[in-house]
Amino acid sequence: MGSQGGFGQSKEFLDLIKSIGEARSKAEEDRIVLHEIETLKRRIAEPDIPKRKMKEYIIRLIYVEMLGHDASFGYIHAVKMTHDDNIHLKRTGYLAVTQFLNEDHDLIILIVNTIQKDLKSDNYLVVCAALNAVCRLINEETIPAVLPQVVDLLRHQKEAVRKKAVMALHRFYQKSPASVNHLLSNFRKKLCDNDPGVMGATLCPLFDLITIDVNSYKDLVASLASILKQVAERKLPKSYEYHQMPAPFIQIKLLKILALLGSGDKKASEQMYTILGEIMRKCDSTSNIGNAVLYECICCISSIHPNPKLLESAADAISKFLKSDSHNLKYLGIDALGRLIKMSPEIAEQHQLAVIDCLEDPDDTLKRKTFELLYKMTKPSNVEVIVDRMIDYMISINDNHYKTEIASRYVELAEQFAPSNQWFIQTMNKVFEHAGDLVNIKVAHNLMRLIAEGFGEDDDTADTQLRSSAVDSYLRIVGEPKLPSAFLQVICWVLGEYGTADGKYSASYITGKLCDIAEAYSTDDTVKAYAISALMKIFSFEMAAGRKVDVLPECQSLIEELLASHSTDLQQRAYELQAILGLDAQAAASVMPTDASCEDIEIDKDLSFLNGYVQKSLEKGAKPYIPESERSGMVDLNSFRSHEQHEASAHTLRFEAYELPKPVIPSKTATPVMQSSSSSALVPVPEPSYPTESFQPVAPVSSTSDAGSSDLRLRLDGVQKKWGRSTYSTSSTSNTDTLTAQNGAPQRESVTSSNSRAREFSYDSRRQQPEISAEKQKLAASLFGGAAKSDKRQSPASQKVSKTPTQAVEKSHGVKSAVSESALADKIVQPPPDLLDLGEASVSSAPTSVDPFKQLEGLLDLSENTCTLNSRQGSASAPDFMSLYGETTSNEQSSRVVDPLSGFSTTTTAEMNGHGASTGTQTTQQLSKGVSTKDSLERDALVRQLGVTPTGQNPNLFKDLLG
Amino acid sequence: MIRAVMVMNTLGKLRLSKFYDFQPMEKQQELIRHVYAVLSSRPENVSNFVDAESIFGPDTRLVYKNLATLYFVFVFDSSENELAMLDLIQVFVETLDKCFRDVCELDIVFNYSKTQTILDEIISGGQLLETSSTEVMKTVEEITKLEAASSSSSSSLLPKSLVAWRQGQ
């Protein structure tokens, strides 16, 4: 510490820093700093302070501000200091203002003049200081004041100045592209600057420009490639070498730009191949920076038009990264792998084990990156493993931001690839349990719909099973404390709809549970609304079935409590429930039909049932309804206030966007007709209004949030909206019947959702996968290889229907798709070395020519066969073996198998027996060679049935598959 | 684009910070606290990269390096290369080292403006300006010389060696 005197600061400053350094608590530190602020305030206001002292005060101010305290009292002194002629002080002044002020601060205007002057200075260091300040302090309005000087400085004799001028111009472009649009050609010119530093600096703005508009810079490809070549060949001055690499940062920027330019452009890409190959070859992979360049090369290779040779060397580089001990390199390896699997999906296979290792790594960053990769690699055959892993990880982290992200990701995966609905429901239960408040409410609605719709068509037993298993699992879960609201809504709805459906549970048991929920979560109105609607359903089902309804005492007290509820929505529900209890069996059945959530509701958009009423009113002298569009110019009392506000605000500049037109404003003009119509609607046409009640899952949300605004919704979009928010009206089954959901609705939706990412997991849009996002599709296509894409990505519901074609198409792909299919799951099940061998073997056999049509024919038959057999659960193992064997043969001996049909039908049983019995482990290996989701799932089940004990090297991994 | 540069010690005390898009002071303090919380919770022998999206918003990453008692932190977006950023930290530190001869935490504390000058030579407006530490040193030395000439009374920005030399005279 003795050397401190040499730093040139006053004793005071040293003491300050020392005492802050020794402060034991934040409070103590604050006290010291506040004291310092007081001292500075006093000192700085003294007259005639020596400049050197002033400089130290300013530095102390920066220090104080760095510690998080307000030093605004000293800003003006910093501004004053920039005016000083002494460059030392001037630089300190500039430093202080760039730290203190943002570009819109009032004091900036006092500096602009100084900056202008300094930009013209003879001393280039002054110019540099001013340019530094320009980057930070000039805003859109002040750009014109300094722009001419900055442009002049592009031709300054000192390269340091030119470099900074380029940066300043770039900054202007970032802040206000319009103001420098005519100067963009300067960047191109500066690319040819004699000084490599200036050229390197120019790459930054060029990168931004090219990101925005690739096409107008295609002509640069050749020159950029040649610059890269020169750099790589060490044509730059020695001083640009860094750790024996020639100008690596410039190389990286160039590679980034080339990646942009070459993306999807074969001609441009071809100009880069040579130099990329050269760099890949030359790169020194022992140093950090060498690997950075190597990694950038891989990124570039995976973004431009593919070249097999380069892809190969990229794959080699990746495997080196992954095998490295350095976490940084592993991280880059995983990232690069994620990029490259878009191009060549099979490369992931070689690195399965490395990837799994990264997943178990204590490094969180690496783990996340790996999950990102897995997310990209997910397919039906490995979705269970991946999602299980994700859930485990999600439960283990506390970071809500990332939890939400990973939850939404895995909901997305589960929705896309779910091998069975049962699995989907169980998975969803876990999401709700652990991240219920973080997931989108849509997810809950999708789940309800899935349970309601079941597998889709004509498989009633499966649907019933699904529902009872859902009911079972929910009854188990419901007793747990503190469930999230969204989950409770699902539970209530499902219990209401299907709680008594299979006769396993008595009505009083279910109603008791529902009352418990309403009581336990008495602060959550939405949950209570769901619960009471569920009660309503249960009671009316009971009545319709002719049984006597006994209302439990706690239920009675709940109803009474809600009758007096402050929430009009809850109150109405309670009254409705009371009314229903008074009805006879037949009426109750028509009010609350059993399992009607998927039924069609006929919607009378024109409200024609009101015609008579309207006519009558008109005859009595009521004003006719004027559509909103023709209503302009009419100012009624209701809109007066908001109108006034508009007037008032019209005088000043409005910076924010105009708000959406308020629906409330004109509504009252139409009230005589509309309001009464909404209330009378219940009477003349009971059909459309009563079903609403049975679709409570949708209604409560809407009515609690905008209760009492039914006239508003009526007015807005026709009657359809009356039963729910616009969001739900299209996407929920409750309002659209199954038929429309499959035919009509998706068509309608596809228009809107074609742009939306798959992340919005609307169920309907899931069905429309092929139209949803081209990007994702491409990814899937590359993951699965070719034509399988559209069929593969269907939702579980539709999967069943289209199963046969799916299999056929896949099979026609023969070995190739099977190979790419053998995903993580396979690797995990198989002992690692075998796995690799097998994978490679099948890859090598991939190109063998098999007549796809013959295979297709054969498989069509085969798969039908398998299907029917599989449905018989008792003998499920036999056909499984058969199909397994079929796959083995087609995988490994595809060149020989020409017509699988004949092969199978004749030899099945005998071969199967021999094959299946002899090699237990081998069976396990092939078990997971999935062709379709269903097959792989069944095979999973088979493994469990057989009780095969894993013999792999990593027993942990087996847990995933074998439970 | 580089969003921010921070230097803090292993106890969480900020030694240097520069945000290339303006952040109000309270926000800066909050960001720094979050960054410190993340860094201090990371075990040893793990990667130098951290996903910073939960702190700095979408598309941001963070590279840090722990040298002696200091964390050097660079925050940037996807237009930069992580490993290269790690080396940029190296460049920065190397330059500091050349400047201060075995740089230590105190050098940065007491030579705030000089450290900032070095940083300004390396990064300007969030973009990489110069990556050769010799070039940076050249400029910084010129500035120092000029400053020394213009304010002979002050020696605060001179390198230690020079100060020692003067005192020796």
Side-chain angles (χ1 to χ4, degrees):
Chain A
M1 297 293 267
S3 67
Q4 272 178 23
F7 287 101
Q9 261 88 8
S10 71
K11 177 103 175 28
E12 256 182 0
F13 189 32
L14 298 184
D15 286 345
L16 169 72
I17 288 169
K18 213 172 139 200
S19 60
I20 286 175
E22 285 162 1
R24 262 175 306 252
S25 66
K26 181 78 188 151
E28 193 181 338
E29 183 190 303
D30 284 347
R31 219 166 32 245
I32 296 167
V33 176
L34 286 176
H35 177 74
E36 168 73 6
I37 289 176
E38 284 310 309
T39 319
L40 282 175
K41 256 187 198 161
R42 215 172 42 243
R43 294 279 180 79
I44 223 162
E46 283 169 14
D48 302 327
I49 316 165
K51 281 179 176 169
R52 216 191 77 202
K53 262 261 173 302
M54 194 62 189
K55 195 204 117 212
E56 193 195 293
Y57 292 152
I58 297 287
I59 298 280
R60 275 154 80 172
L61 280 176
I62 300 177
Y63 192 75
V64 162
E65 193 132 284
M66 190 170 79
L67 291 171
H69 296 265
D70 180 46
S72 52
F73 62 90
Y75 290 177
I76 186 69
H77 297 279
V79 171
K80 247 197 265 171
M81 194 164 262
T82 60
H83 303 330
D84 204 289
D85 287 333
N86 180 324
I87 184 177
H88 191 179
L89 297 180
K90 187 185 272 299
R91 287 182 55 87
T92 310
Y94 274 134
L95 171 65
V97 286
T98 49
Q99 288 291 104
F100 290 150
L101 309 181
N102 76 344
E103 57 195 38
D104 298 321
H105 198 279
D106 293 338
L107 290 175
I108 294 288
I109 208 72
L110 296 176
I111 305 173
V112 172
N113 196 23
T114 320
I115 292 179
Q116 273 179 323
K117 210 175 75 215
D118 287 346
L119 286 175
K120 288 184 201 142
S121 164
D122 293 334
N123 187 337
Y124 84 96
L125 288 172
V126 174
V127 179
C128 282
L131 280 172
N132 271 346
V134 159
C135 283
R136 182 57 191 270
L137 300 175
I138 296 296
N139 66 10
E140 210 178 326
E141 283 166 38
T142 40
I143 285 175
V146 294
L147 191 58
Q149 281 109 320
V150 171
V151 175
D152 283 346
L153 290 173
L154 287 173
R155 288 189 298 275
H156 198 275
Q157 51 175 357
K158 278 278 184 186
E159 69 279 350
V161 176
R162 292 203 298 270
K163 214 157 54 180
K164 290 205 160 132
V166 167
M167 286 304 183
L169 208 54
H170 180 205
R171 194 72 178 167
F172 294 162
Y173 175 75
Q174 284 177 331
K175 283 190 179 142
S176 153
S179 65
V180 291
N181 253 342
H182 56 291
L183 298 167
L184 294 182
S185 60
N186 279 308
F187 291 135
R188 280 166 178 267
K189 268 187 233 152
K190 282 292 124 189
L191 199 57
C192 316
D193 197 284
N194 290 328
D195 185 76
V198 181
M199 184 272 291
T202 315
L203 295 175
C204 301
L206 274 178
F207 178 78
D208 278 9
L209 290 171
I210 293 172
T211 313
I212 295 162
D213 176 18
V214 181
N215 287 328
S216 38
Y217 292 89
K218 291 277 185 192
D219 57 309
L220 285 179
V221 174
S223 30
L224 288 170
S226 94
I227 292 175
L228 183 58
K229 192 162 153 43
Q230 290 174 39
V231 173
E233 286 170 355
R234 298 173 192 271
K235 297 266 167 71
L236 295 190
K238 240 333 196 200
S239 66
Y240 282 90
E241 277 187 24
Y242 174 84
H243 293 209
Q244 280 86 49
M245 282 289 290
F249 294 96
I250 292 179
Q251 285 195 42
I252 286 168
K253 261 274 125 66
L254 280 167
L255 285 166
K256 277 200 185 286
I257 294 176
L258 288 179
L260 288 176
L261 287 169
S263 170
D265 184 341
K266 191 162 178 239
K267 221 177 100 219
S269 302
E270 274 163 0
Q271 294 173 283
M272 308 168 192
Y273 289 156
T274 337
I275 180 67
L276 281 175
E278 212 170 290
I279 295 177
M280 290 286 285
R281 210 170 44 249
K282 273 193 196 162
C283 239
D284 162 32
S285 59
T286 51
S287 74
N288 205 16
I289 194 71
N291 285 318
V293 174
L294 208 53
Y295 163 76
E296 208 52 60
C297 275
I298 300 171
C299 294
C300 184
I301 287 167
S302 61
S303 133
I304 63 175
H305 187 85
N307 171 300
K309 233 175 161 179
L310 286 178
L311 284 175
E312 204 176 293
S313 54
D316 286 348
I318 287 178
S319 65
K320 256 186 232 155
F321 281 162
L322 287 173
K323 279 176 196 141
S324 146
D325 287 332
S326 153
H327 279 84
N328 290 344
L329 291 186
K330 275 190 197 166
Y331 172 90
L332 290 187
I334 294 280
D335 185 79
L337 194 59
R339 290 168 191 269
L340 211 63
I341 51 171
K342 287 184 217 161
M343 291 278 179
S344 42
E346 71 280 352
I347 126 157
E349 315 241 320
Q350 307 161 20
H351 303 300
Q352 299 282 354
L353 288 171
V355 171
I356 298 291
D357 281 346
C358 291
L359 213 51
E360 324 242 281
D361 201 276
D363 185 350
D364 220 37
T365 316
L366 190 56
K367 242 188 222 174
R368 289 186 190 185
K369 200 79 198 167
T370 314
F371 275 114
E372 224 165 87
L373 172 70
L374 288 184
Y375 168 74
K376 287 183 195 160
M377 287 179 16
T378 308
K379 38 198 150 178
S381 52
N382 59 16
V383 64
E384 285 175 85
V385 186
I386 290 180
V387 168
D388 275 359
R389 288 269 164 170
M390 280 182 155
I391 295 177
D392 287 347
Y393 181 61
M394 187 192 74
I395 294 170
S396 74
I397 55 173
N398 295 322
D399 177 352
N400 266 355
H401 173 85
Y402 194 63
K403 214 172 188 169
T404 315
E405 192 179 299
I406 200 165
S408 64
R409 274 196 169 172
Y410 97 72
V411 166
E412 185 184 341
L413 290 181
E415 289 191 347
Q416 262 173 24
F417 299 113
S420 73
N421 286 348
Q422 210 129 349
W423 178 86
F424 182 72
I425 287 175
Q426 272 162 12
T427 310
M428 286 326 224
N429 285 354
K430 281 188 206 154
V431 187
F432 283 123
E433 253 178 279
H434 299 289
D437 295 323
L438 301 173
V439 293
N440 195 320
I441 188 75
K442 265 190 189 167
V443 175
H445 295 161
N446 283 343
L447 180 58
M448 288 182 220
R449 176 169 26 221
L450 185 85
I451 294 172
E453 282 183 354
F455 279 88
E457 256 103 288
D458 47 61
D459 196 348
D460 282 342
T461 35
D463 288 357
T464 324
Q465 262 173 19
L466 173 80
R467 286 166 192 163
S468 17
S469 77
V471 170
D472 281 348
S473 71
Y474 290 155
L475 283 174
R476 254 197 321 276
I477 290 169
V478 85
E480 283 174 29
K482 293 232 167 103
L483 293 172
S485 173
F487 193 28
L488 287 165
Q489 292 166 27
V490 177
I491 292 178
C492 287
W493 186 82
V494 170
L495 289 184
E497 283 285 332
Y498 306 111
T500 54
D502 58 356
K504 202 162 141 193
Y505 302 102
S506 72
S508 59
Y509 179 71
I510 301 283
T511 49
K513 285 279 180 195
L514 287 168
C515 290
D516 288 348
I517 296 175
E519 202 179 328
Y521 301 89
S522 56
T523 47
D524 189 337
D525 276 357
T526 320
V527 169
K528 274 201 281 190
Y530 269 87
I532 191 136
S533 298
L535 285 175
M536 205 180 327
K537 280 180 235 172
I538 303 258
F539 287 140
S540 42
F541 295 163
E542 285 297 291
M543 286 157 71
R547 284 187 286 269
K548 192 180 165 294
V549 176
D550 59 323
V551 181
L552 300 172
E554 67 252 44
C555 189
Q556 193 59 51
S557 65
L558 175 71
I559 296 171
E560 269 154 30
E561 180 206 320
L562 292 187
L563 282 176
S565 168
H566 287 300
S567 155
T568 44
D569 174 58
L570 286 177
Q571 219 178 22
Q572 182 176 355
R573 279 162 205 274
Y575 275 110
E576 279 168 2
L577 174 54
Q578 259 196 340
I580 283 177
L581 287 174
L583 294 175
D584 60 52
Q586 211 185 351
S590 60
V591 171
M592 286 284 177
T594 319
D595 191 16
S597 58
C598 301
E599 299 298 312
D600 193 4
I601 305 169
E602 271 180 38
I603 289 154
D604 186 355
K605 263 200 152 181
D606 302 328
L607 299 176
S608 57
F609 58 87
L610 288 175
N611 284 350
Y613 179 84
V614 172
Q615 197 59 41
K616 232 195 272 168
S617 306
L618 283 177
E619 277 163 17
K620 279 186 199 155
K623 269 199 233 161
Y625 174 72
I626 307 165
E628 194 185 0
S629 51
E630 295 163 29
R631 234 178 286 159
S632 61
M634 284 179 69
V635 182
D636 59 78
L637 277 173
N638 269 320
S639 62
F640 186 70
R641 237 186 80 233
S642 56
H643 193 78
E644 203 173 39
Q645 277 168 355
H646 272 277
E647 293 263 292
S649 58
H651 294 300
T652 57
L653 275 174
R654 284 178 63 109
F655 288 104
E656 70 274 27
Y658 286 101
E659 59 216 296
L660 289 171
K662 282 209 182 94
V664 203
I665 302 165
S667 68
K668 284 293 153 75
T669 43
T671 33
V673 181
M674 297 314 290
Q675 248 180 3
S676 45
S677 71
S678 69
S679 56
S680 63
L682 295 173
V683 188
V685 187
E687 271 299 300
S689 57
Y690 280 125
T692 348
E693 307 307 329
S694 69
F695 308 135
Q696 293 304 0
V698 179
V701 188
S702 59
S703 38
T704 39
S705 54
D706 37 14
S709 56
S710 63
D711 54 339
L712 176 148
R713 269 182 269 127
L714 270 173
R715 193 193 56 74
L716 271 179
D717 260 27
V719 193
Q720 197 177 6
K721 290 272 169 69
K722 201 165 118 188
W723 295 294
R725 277 184 188 167
S726 52
T727 2
Y728 307 126
S729 62
T730 43
S731 65
S732 76
T733 2
S734 331
N735 289 346
T736 41
D737 64 316
T738 357
L739 209 74
T740 13
Q742 276 167 358
N743 301 322
Q747 245 80 42
R748 199 154 21 97
E749 280 238 322
S750 63
V751 184
T752 48
S753 64
S754 56
N755 289 332
S756 71
R757 315 226 134 217
R759 208 155 284 158
E760 295 172 22
F761 357 87
S762 147
Y763 188 76
D764 280 343
S765 51
R766 238 197 309 145
R767 293 178 165 214
Q768 291 292 308
Q769 278 306 337
E771 277 154 57
I772 274 232
S773 97
E775 199 184 291
K776 290 232 138 186
Q777 209 180 32
K778 216 165 88 195
L779 188 70
S782 49
L783 270 171
F784 299 120
K789 62 180 175 188
S790 54
D791 292 43
K792 290 295 296 187
R793 296 184 64 88
Q794 280 175 347
S795 67
S798 46
Q799 218 156 27
K800 183 147 189 159
V801 192
S802 56
K803 191 174 161 197
T804 320
T806 313
Q807 281 184 330
V809 173
E810 267 163 37
K811 269 292 180 168
S812 73
H813 260 255
V815 192
K816 211 161 145 200
S817 73
V819 170
S820 58
E821 274 265 346
S822 60
L824 191 64
D826 312 7
K827 295 286 176 183
I828 288 165
V829 177
Q830 294 166 348
D834 278 0
L835 158 85
L836 282 174
D837 289 348
L838 191 79
E840 267 152 48
S842 29
V843 171
S844 62
S845 69
T848 49
S849 58
V850 183
D851 184 353
F853 287 102
K854 276 191 183 168
Q855 270 208 328
L856 189 119
E857 271 178 279
L859 279 149
L860 259 171
D861 247 8
L862 176 74
S863 52
E864 264 170 32
N865 209 2
T866 329
C867 267
T868 41
L869 283 170
N870 282 352
S871 60
R872 273 191 278 140
Q873 288 205 323
S875 61
S877 59
D880 267 325
F881 273 116
M882 191 167 76
S883 61
L884 268 174
Y885 182 62
E887 276 155 40
T888 329
T889 32
S890 66
N891 277 340
E892 286 166 353
Q893 316 158 359
S894 56
S895 48
R896 275 183 284 143
V897 180
V898 181
D899 186 347
L901 177 60
S902 64
F904 287 131
S905 49
T906 51
T907 56
T908 33
T909 349
E911 291 235 49
M912 179 268 296
N913 283 342
H915 189 83
S918 62
T919 49
T921 33
Q922 210 189 330
T923 325
T924 338
Q925 287 170 22
Q926 282 131 21
L927 281 176
S928 51
K929 278 265 179 223
V931 167
S932 78
T933 39
K934 182 125 193 193
D935 277 3
S936 67
L937 184 81
E938 278 160 0
R939 238 158 272 134
D940 262 326
L942 179 66
V943 176
R944 286 185 202 107
Q945 277 170 21
L946 288 174
V948 180
T949 34
T951 52
Q953 289 173 343
N954 195 344
N956 264 345
L957 298 179
F958 284 94
K959 278 191 209 149
D960 290 320
L961 271 179
L962 306 179
Chain B
M1 175 182 175
I2 299 165
R3 300 282 182 85
V5 172
M6 299 169 203
V7 178
M8 58 180 90
N9 73 3
T10 40
L11 301 170
K13 284 224 160 55
L14 190 66
R15 291 313 185 192
L16 176 80
S17 76
K18 203 155 180 97
F19 288 82
Y20 291 99
D21 33 6
F22 183 82
Q23 305 279 0
M25 200 178 58
E26 296 77 28
K27 180 81 181 158
Q28 285 188 17
Q29 293 297 318
E30 191 192 321
L31 292 173
I32 289 159
R33 265 200 308 281
H34 282 305
V35 168
Y36 177 70
V38 171
L39 294 190
S40 56
S41 68
R42 284 183 67 79
E44 270 178 63
N45 298 325
V46 293
S47 66
N48 299 74
F49 314 132
V50 176
D51 179 20
E53 292 197 0
S54 56
I55 305 173
F56 290 92
D59 190 29
T60 49
R61 278 168 289 175
L62 176 159
V63 162
Y64 72 98
K65 194 159 187 166
N66 185 4
L67 293 165
T69 55
L70 289 175
Y71 283 120
F72 289 81
V73 184
F74 280 36
V75 183
F76 53 92
D77 61 21
S78 61
S79 67
E80 309 288 341
N81 175 318
E82 282 106 327
L83 216 49
M85 282 298 123
L86 192 59
D87 268 81
L88 195 63
I89 295 183
Q90 188 63 30
V91 171
F92 181 46
V93 176
E94 268 176 27
T95 318
L96 288 175
D97 210 45
K98 277 183 191 163
C99 203
F100 299 117
R101 295 266 170 93
D102 301 324
V103 64
C104 68
E105 191 178 339
L106 281 177
D107 290 316
I108 295 175
V109 178
F110 290 115
N111 293 284
Y112 188 83
S113 61
K114 182 149 195 173
T115 320
Q116 288 274 3
T117 310
I118 294 172
L119 194 57
D120 279 345
E121 289 306 313
I122 297 174
I123 301 166
S124 166
Q127 300 293 338
L128 210 54
L129 187 66
E130 181 56 69
T131 50
S132 145
S133 67
T134 32
E135 292 285 317
V136 175
M137 270 312 288
K138 243 192 264 169
T139 330
V140 172
E141 264 160 26
E142 264 182 87
I143 293 171
T144 316
K145 239 185 271 166
L146 203 85
E147 283 180 347
S150 67
S151 56
S152 52
S153 57
S154 162
S155 61
S156 69
L157 287 177
L158 292 183
K160 262 190 280 183
S161 55
L162 210 58
V163 175
W165 174 75
R166 280 188 167 203
Q167 282 172 344
Q169 274 197 327

